[in-house]
Amino acid sequence: MKQILLEIIELLQGDLPQLAASLNPPAAEEELRKAEAALGFNLPSELREFYQIHNGEKEGGPGLFFGLPFLSLDDMLAECRIWSGLEDDVMEVEHYSVPAGWIMEQYINRYWLSISKDWGGNNIGIDLDPADKGRAGQIINFGRDEEVKYVIALGVSQLLHFIRDTAKEGNYSVNQEDEEYISWSYGKEGAVHFLDAIRRMELPVLEPLRQEAGVEDANVWFDALDNGWKERIMDASGSPDAFLRAKRHLFIGKGLTDITPLAQCEDVRELVLSVNEIRSIEALRGCKQLKILYLVKNPVSDLRPLQSLEHLQELIISGTAVTDVSPLSSLPKLKVVDVQNTHIRDFSPLKQIKSLRALEISRPDAEQLCSISELKQVKELSISGLGQITEDDLAVLGKLVNLRKLVLDEVTLRNLQFVEKCHKLKEVIMKDSAVEDISALAKLDNLQSLELSGCSAVGKLEELARSASLSKITASFQQFSLLKECFDRAIDFSTITGGMTEAESDIWHAYLDGVRR
């Protein structure tokens, strides 16, 4: 590895002499041990060797990784602390691995060690917790803007080999923004962000894995389609091959009745097919990597084609003709289900889905509430409207002992006593609703956040001051004005719903300023 680094420096000496001077001296053994102690595990051997050659790069250097800096041990640990601080309770859905099954499809993972960053919240890292098909030590991208995560290289040495080969071929650009700062980038196109460049590269570098499309010849498949689908494909992706390889397709309100061409999209991860005339979803059996599916306001009734989609995590079937959710019971990763405005009576099949986290329903009656109350794994429940029920009927929801978040939309209730047994409840959101007595929320030991949007008719608000845990309230100015003096501590009222007069805005800002002081 040391020889490869020397070759990179020598090859770039003419165009980028600043690189050699920017690399730090080797990390001492004591520094490596301290870093490992802070992480709680040993560094992989290749990364350890890398730091024994150079302990990262000086600030303002040209960026060893095509303009992105090689982070020192201290900077790597700082990035790890930032990401671990964001790790708790993140909903992991819209993240994709390329190749499929190589990278854990999530936003944050404490075993992704950042070796580079772009100062915009995005990183190149060592993956020590790969998915089933991946390899520990593989180089990946992750971060705020990196929903699609790529295996860039199979290890540190392969990435350095690739940088050496690119320098040898001269396939790079040197970019000078001013007299003091100079960097370089991959390819001849000028200042291209490396994390953008990887999207057009065959990866992993040195050992690219060709992702086979669902058909042998995309053009032959395309020529056999009707003109309507040909036009959609070209509008969406520009070419048949790109369409078949795309990770996301959106066809909203397009009048679709036949979605057969989608059967060949084996690598698609998100399909939004809302507001069409789709009755059969048989073609979706071929979408083997599908994670997110929107079927809102389609006349589809049979969910059996979804039974084999082992990666499906989010399913939105509101406004469909679905009455039977039993086909979903075999889906091992399903987390979010929206069944609003359907005629589903029995939710008990969902009990078998251990991963189920969030459920959205509308106008439930007593029988449906009993069925839902058995879903003890659910952490987030959204109820829009209520059927013919009483407060006593709602009491069964106290069985949802793992509930963390409750959303009530367009409901009218005398009280909220049904949540008193939901001891883990942290967040309550009420929209366009009315409740005569909200005081039951004060009895929840873990309630942290309450949002009242369009809820002018809420009684006994002052009782919330008895809550020992409530720390944030989002409400109207009138409700804020009533509550701000009730608590014996500062409450976060930084968000107001509805409008305010200029005088009211002054009062609100004065309160916020006082809290900050």
Side-chain angles (χ1 to χ4, degrees):
M1 194 180 298
K2 186 173 184 179
Q3 180 60 36
I4 299 169
L5 278 165
L6 289 172
E7 289 179 32
I8 292 170
I9 291 168
E10 184 177 347
L11 287 164
L12 294 172
Q13 187 63 34
D15 291 330
L16 204 67
Q18 297 85 351
L19 179 60
S22 72
L23 294 171
N24 292 322
E29 181 62 27
E30 183 180 355
E31 292 176 296
L32 289 163
R33 288 178 180 173
K34 283 183 178 179
E36 290 172 332
L39 290 168
F41 53 84
N42 293 334
L43 294 172
S45 58
E46 272 201 340
L47 185 57
R48 220 174 188 280
E49 181 184 349
F50 197 11
Y51 279 116
Q52 287 172 327
I53 302 169
H54 293 289
N55 187 5
E57 185 177 344
K58 293 181 177 67
E59 186 174 343
L64 174 62
F65 304 115
F66 298 107
L68 298 180
F70 171 28
L71 297 181
S72 67
L73 283 169
D74 285 344
D75 288 339
M76 181 263 285
L77 290 172
E79 286 295 303
C80 287
R81 285 191 291 270
I82 291 170
W83 285 109
S84 62
L86 300 172
E87 189 174 29
D88 291 341
D89 213 30
V90 173
M91 179 71 82
E92 307 288 2
V93 174
E94 298 181 8
H95 302 279
Y96 315 131
S97 164
V98 179
W102 283 56
I103 307 168
M104 293 291 191
E105 296 190 338
Q106 54 196 70
Y107 181 47
I108 298 170
N109 189 316
R110 67 178 59 222
Y111 296 106
W112 294 343
L113 302 185
S114 177
I115 59 171
S116 186
K117 66 177 182 179
D118 70 351
W119 294 278
N122 304 300
N123 302 71
I124 296 173
I126 310 288
D127 181 5
L128 303 182
D129 183 28
D132 294 343
K133 297 180 181 178
R135 305 184 190 182
Q138 62 192 11
I139 309 298
I140 65 169
N141 61 306
F142 67 94
R144 187 180 66 181
D145 304 315
E146 304 299 304
E147 287 182 4
V148 181
K149 294 170 177 61
Y150 297 87
V151 178
I152 302 171
L154 298 182
V156 174
S157 61
Q158 283 207 1
L159 179 59
L160 293 176
H161 270 96
F162 175 71
I163 295 171
R164 188 269 314 273
D165 292 350
T166 302
K168 185 179 292 186
E169 294 163 3
N171 186 26
Y172 61 86
S173 302
V174 174
N175 315 298
Q176 186 152 9
E177 297 180 8
D178 53 47
E179 292 183 2
E180 294 184 0
Y181 182 69
I182 188 169
S183 68
W184 69 315
S185 54
Y186 176 80
K188 293 289 192 179
E189 299 173 9
V192 176
H193 195 302
F194 184 54
L195 295 183
D196 291 330
I198 63 173
R199 289 159 171 75
R200 303 190 300 272
M201 295 163 58
E202 291 192 352
L203 300 173
V205 296
L206 304 189
E207 296 186 35
L209 180 68
R210 178 70 174 170
Q211 293 290 293
E212 297 299 331
V215 291
E216 291 185 6
D217 191 321
N219 291 320
V220 171
W221 165 79
F222 180 78
D223 289 341
L225 301 177
D226 63 43
N227 289 333
W229 267 107
K230 287 180 179 178
E231 183 176 346
R232 292 184 195 105
I233 288 168
M234 296 306 291
D235 286 346
S237 303
S239 74
D241 186 70
F243 181 82
L244 291 172
R245 299 183 190 282
K247 303 297 181 290
R248 178 186 288 120
H249 286 308
L250 282 70
F251 295 107
I252 304 171
K254 300 294 185 181
L256 294 180
T257 57
D258 178 18
I259 58 171
T260 301
L262 296 179
Q264 306 302 332
C265 297
E266 293 187 0
D267 205 37
V268 69
R269 313 300 175 86
E270 179 178 352
L271 278 176
V272 181
L273 303 174
S274 301
V275 197
N276 285 292
E277 296 298 325
I278 301 165
R279 294 184 180 276
S280 171
I281 55 173
E282 188 66 28
L284 300 187
R285 292 184 188 273
C287 301
K288 299 175 183 179
Q289 299 296 328
L290 193 62
K291 294 181 67 177
I292 303 171
L293 175 60
Y294 280 70
L295 290 170
V296 178
K297 293 184 179 179
N298 278 285
V300 61
S301 60
D302 185 3
L303 297 180
R304 285 178 294 178
L306 306 182
Q307 288 176 309
S308 61
L309 301 185
E310 61 177 323
H311 299 288
L312 192 64
Q313 294 186 30
E314 183 173 340
L315 177 63
I316 314 299
I317 52 174
S318 57
T320 65
V322 172
T323 59
D324 179 16
V325 292
S326 60
L328 306 181
S329 63
S330 63
L331 300 177
K333 296 183 179 180
L334 192 62
K335 295 182 179 181
V336 180
V337 178
D338 183 344
V339 295
Q340 296 183 76
N341 301 311
T342 64
H343 294 287
I344 298 165
R345 302 295 309 165
D346 183 14
F347 293 91
S348 62
L350 301 181
K351 289 170 61 176
Q352 300 179 50
I353 308 173
K354 302 304 181 185
S355 59
L356 185 64
R357 173 171 173 169
L359 179 67
E360 297 188 34
I361 59 173
S362 61
R363 293 182 295 280
D365 58 25
E367 180 184 350
Q368 290 169 310
L369 287 172
C370 284
S371 180
I372 291 165
S373 71
E374 299 302 316
L375 309 179
K376 295 181 181 179
Q377 74 274 41
V378 167
K379 294 183 178 180
E380 300 181 13
L381 177 64
S382 178
I383 302 175
S384 177
L386 292 171
Q388 298 299 313
I389 63 169
T390 66
E391 272 77 4
D392 289 340
D393 295 327
L394 282 166
V396 296
L397 296 182
K399 294 182 180 180
L400 299 178
V401 294
N402 290 304
L403 198 64
R404 264 65 164 186
K405 179 179 179 179
L406 175 65
V407 180
L408 299 173
D409 189 0
E410 295 186 348
V411 304
T412 300
L413 294 165
R414 289 201 305 270
N415 57 63
L416 297 180
Q417 289 181 0
F418 69 95
V419 302
E420 288 184 0
K421 294 183 179 179
C422 300
H423 299 297
K424 296 182 180 180
L425 194 60
K426 292 183 176 181
E427 180 179 5
V428 173
I429 298 175
M430 296 182 63
K431 304 175 183 178
D432 301 317
S433 296
V435 58
E436 294 178 21
D437 181 356
I438 200 172
S439 62
L441 297 186
K443 299 178 182 179
L444 298 174
D445 294 335
N446 291 294
L447 184 66
Q448 298 174 5
S449 174
L450 171 64
E451 178 179 333
L452 302 173
S453 179
C455 302
S456 57
V458 177
K460 297 193 176 181
L461 271 171
E462 301 95 324
E463 294 294 311
L464 293 175
R466 293 189 292 107
S467 170
S469 58
L470 191 58
S471 59
K472 180 174 183 179
I473 299 177
T474 299
S476 68
F477 175 82
Q478 290 73 24
Q479 291 163 334
F480 153 73
S481 184
L482 176 66
L483 289 170
K484 63 185 177 70
E485 303 297 339
C486 293
F487 289 84
D488 60 0
R489 63 188 184 278
I491 298 295
D492 180 355
F493 284 106
S494 58
T495 307
I496 295 289
T497 61
M500 287 186 287
T501 66
E502 186 174 341
E504 289 171 342
S505 180
D506 289 343
I507 294 171
W508 175 58
H509 279 102
Y511 174 87
L512 297 181
D513 290 343
V515 169
R516 294 188 187 105
R517 286 196 294 268

